[in-house]
Amino acid sequence: MLRLAPPATLLVFLAPIVAGLLGTALPAFGWFPALGAHAFGLDVFARLFAQPGLGTSVALTLFTGFLATALSLTLALAFCAAAYGTNAFGTAQRFLAPLLATPHAALAIGFAFLVAPSGWIARLISPELSGWTRPPDIATVQDPLGLAFVAGLMLKETPYLLLTLIAAIGQADLARSLTTARMLGYGKFTAWAKIAIPRLYPQIRLPIYAVLAFALSNVDVALILAPTNPPTLSVLILRWISDPHLDLFLPATAAGLLQFALVVASIGAWRLGEIVIAHAARDWLINGARGGEGKFRASAARTALTLLFAFAIAALIALAIWSIALSWRFPDALPDRWTSANWLREAPSLAAPATTTLLVALSATAIAILLAVLCLENEIRSGKRATKALVLLYAPLLIPQVSFLIGAQTLLVRLNLDGGFAALVWAHLLFVLPYVFLALADPWRALDPRYARIASCLGASHWRVLFAVKIPLLLRPLSVAAAVSFAVSAALYLPTLFAGGGRWTSLTTEAVTLASGGDRRVLGVYAFAQAALPLIVYAAALAVPAILYRNRKGMA
């Protein structure tokens, strides 16, 4: 049975993606009998390229995607160089978990509450410092260049890259190398650039590509913070797919392939940039130049990351305040009247999407944990490490969701599975499983094999060793993996929209839909509930091992 776990897991990953891409490609090349298209050709692409605003959408997508990824990576690397080995480094690690657990859409909505012309920041400085008695006519959200969209992406992607860097630092054993470099007179930033980055970058290359692909194809954050006319390419595709006139369906599938090609070409361009920079920096790396201490750069990096964390926390506080505000007129810094009526009034409507979010996330998490444990256990028992398969785990993270979900939805309709709970869980599992596997792989492989050998010598079967020895010892990483899985599932927007077929709504889909409305109190209720649910699960995941093993040092 264990031997079947890896191929079954890969089947869950690759089969729907390949089928989805095929289901997108056939209509894009002119074959979709349901709409009377029976001839293969490039006519659909000709119709796509004739659509007004397409070029602007592509340019906006590339500009915001590359800028958000480059800034997030630069900030994460600069902060590690400035703070590694200090108390600030440990403090930043404690803030990562709640930020990573908060869904993108909730942070984006809270960020919009902060920086909008009538947002909290404008209220705090008005009218004393700004002189504004009315919201200023400044496009700070959905601005033409997409800078608010870039900032919204950075709120989530910088902590994610920082987490991957911390994991890579733990494996690279940098402390002695950096100490030696400092003893030879290298400045802090120079030592980091010449010693640490060349060793760390190959380990975080795939997460960087995943961040780039996500920034180029994100929909929920773009719907809230990016320009609307024309929007980014992924939002344009969603707009065409949702259009009641089916004439736009075929160009939408061609745009889905264009999105896929755009991400592949962008990753290729990023890789080419890596090679060029590595070649250009080779002489500098070995020229022996020590450089200065870089105190200004270190201070700037720490300040920038502190500001980013402050914006993220303030965004969550803004959601909470709006959810209990009865009356909050501009330019008041705080509501003049508070109430619980917003929550009481929305509670009946909130119950269904909250239940869906909970059930789907728990189901996908349970299946993902089961598949990951079986694969890792097979790896341990067979002694064959599936390193090549790790690359395949990133496939759903590197391929734009909209590119294969269009085809996958068509396939579900043909199989009469569209809109079913099983289809919804399956769609979430595609994106949950990679994170579960990556969260569990290192702790599972690092467990001392002597525990299992001793139990086997005492007569325990393989399965008893698994359930009575390994799982209790690995309860903490299992709990963290489950919490990460739950947070990923709760944040998914497009998979819920496509696989749900309009019959299932989650807190994320409701919050994004309400973001285009005008009642911030209702939006605050939904967005805060969306942010609170993963945070509660994450807190429970940390508390359970601590309570169960409160008398066993090292296990809690």
Side-chain angles (χ1 to χ4, degrees):
M1 178 182 169
L2 278 179
R3 293 178 183 175
L4 297 176
T9 305
L10 288 178
L11 192 66
V12 169
F13 266 86
L14 299 181
I17 293 173
V18 172
L21 285 174
L22 188 63
T24 304
L26 289 176
F29 285 99
W31 193 84
F32 196 71
L35 291 180
H38 296 89
F40 282 101
L42 298 176
D43 292 347
V44 177
F45 283 96
R47 288 171 56 191
L48 167 66
F49 293 126
Q51 295 294 324
L54 180 68
T56 308
S57 289
V58 171
L60 179 67
T61 299
L62 291 173
F63 173 71
T64 54
F66 273 94
L67 185 61
T69 307
L71 289 178
S72 299
L73 177 61
T74 302
L75 183 52
L77 285 172
F79 178 76
C80 286
Y84 178 65
T86 66
N87 292 333
F89 197 70
T91 304
Q93 290 185 58
R94 286 193 285 275
F95 280 97
L96 289 181
L99 289 183
L100 291 171
T102 307
H104 287 82
L107 269 184
I109 292 168
F111 183 68
F113 283 174
L114 286 181
V115 301
S118 60
W120 202 10
I121 293 176
R123 291 166 189 262
L124 289 172
I125 62 172
S126 300
E128 290 81 6
L129 297 179
S130 66
W132 296 328
T133 54
R134 293 182 179 180
D137 188 16
I138 305 172
T140 51
V141 176
Q142 298 180 338
D143 56 290
L145 289 176
L147 298 180
F149 177 45
V150 170
L153 289 173
M154 287 181 65
L155 289 180
K156 282 287 289 187
E157 303 314 325
T158 304
Y160 171 65
L161 289 176
L162 195 54
L163 182 70
T164 60
L165 272 171
I166 291 170
I169 288 170
Q171 296 176 11
D173 190 20
L174 284 177
R176 281 182 295 180
S177 301
L178 290 172
T179 302
T180 304
R182 297 302 305 277
M183 290 172 66
L184 292 172
Y186 284 87
K188 197 169 185 178
F189 261 83
T190 307
W192 186 267
K194 292 192 174 187
I195 304 295
I197 292 179
R199 291 167 63 179
L200 294 177
Y201 194 88
Q203 297 185 53
I204 63 169
R205 181 174 284 129
L206 278 177
I208 293 171
Y209 293 167
V211 167
L212 178 61
F214 181 82
L216 290 167
S217 58
N218 177 268
V219 172
D220 47 352
V221 179
L223 281 169
I224 298 164
L225 296 175
T228 56
N229 193 26
T232 59
L233 182 60
S234 54
V235 174
L236 192 63
I237 296 171
L238 180 64
R239 196 178 286 177
W240 288 346
I241 290 289
S242 308
D243 196 287
H245 299 290
L246 296 178
D247 293 346
L248 289 172
F249 179 80
L250 295 183
T253 58
L257 289 190
L258 175 62
Q259 175 88 75
F260 178 65
L262 212 60
V263 170
V264 172
S266 297
I267 292 175
W270 189 281
R271 177 65 186 137
L272 186 62
E274 292 173 2
I275 295 172
V276 170
I277 291 173
H279 182 74
R282 189 169 300 164
D283 291 340
W284 178 77
L285 287 172
I286 60 175
N287 66 5
R290 266 50 176 176
E293 279 299 302
K295 291 182 179 178
F296 175 76
R297 284 174 289 176
S299 176
R302 283 195 292 263
T303 304
L305 194 78
T306 303
L307 277 175
L308 186 130
F309 282 1
F311 265 95
I313 294 168
L316 295 177
I317 295 173
L319 293 178
I321 293 178
W322 270 110
S323 73
I324 53 175
L326 179 61
S327 175
W328 192 0
R329 297 184 180 86
F330 191 89
D332 295 342
L334 289 171
D336 52 6
R337 297 174 66 189
W338 306 79
T339 181
S340 60
N342 299 336
W343 284 91
L344 296 174
R345 186 176 62 251
E346 297 300 325
S349 305
L350 201 62
T355 304
T356 301
T357 303
L358 196 63
L359 291 178
V360 173
L362 290 176
S363 303
T365 297
I367 298 171
I369 292 282
L370 177 65
L371 289 174
V373 167
L374 290 177
C375 288
L376 290 168
E377 193 60 15
N378 176 70
E379 183 181 303
I380 297 294
R381 293 185 194 178
S382 66
K384 298 177 182 176
R385 188 165 175 169
T387 50
K388 293 181 180 177
L390 282 176
V391 179
L392 298 176
L393 289 175
Y394 274 91
L397 309 182
L398 295 175
I399 298 174
Q401 296 178 10
V402 73
S403 297
F404 68 90
L405 284 175
I406 299 173
Q409 188 187 34
T410 306
L411 181 65
L412 289 173
V413 170
R414 289 183 178 277
L415 296 174
N416 200 26
L417 295 173
D418 183 45
F421 184 75
L424 195 57
V425 172
W426 164 77
H428 279 232
L429 185 63
L430 285 181
F431 301 95
V432 160
L433 189 50
Y435 289 102
V436 170
F437 196 92
L438 293 172
L440 269 184
D442 286 340
W444 205 277
R445 290 166 182 156
L447 182 66
D448 193 337
R450 288 176 293 183
Y451 291 116
R453 288 183 199 143
I454 293 171
S456 298
C457 289
L458 293 173
S461 67
H462 286 308
W463 291 108
R464 189 172 180 190
V465 170
L466 174 64
F467 287 106
V469 178
K470 290 187 176 181
I471 287 180
L473 286 171
L474 293 166
L475 183 59
R476 184 179 174 84
L478 278 167
S479 301
V480 172
V484 170
S485 168
F486 188 95
V488 171
S489 173
L492 290 175
Y493 175 70
L494 270 188
T496 309
L497 208 62
F498 277 83
R503 299 174 196 170
W504 300 89
T505 57
S506 68
L507 288 173
T508 298
T509 60
E510 288 298 283
V512 174
T513 303
L514 289 168
S516 59
D519 195 334
R520 292 186 182 183
R521 293 167 298 183
V522 176
L523 180 56
V525 168
Y526 276 85
F528 187 76
Q530 185 206 9
L533 205 55
L535 289 173
I536 292 170
V537 172
Y538 203 91
L542 295 178
V544 168
I547 294 171
L548 289 178
Y549 300 134
R550 58 188 178 280
N551 297 324
R552 298 181 185 180
K553 187 178 180 181
M555 290 186 67

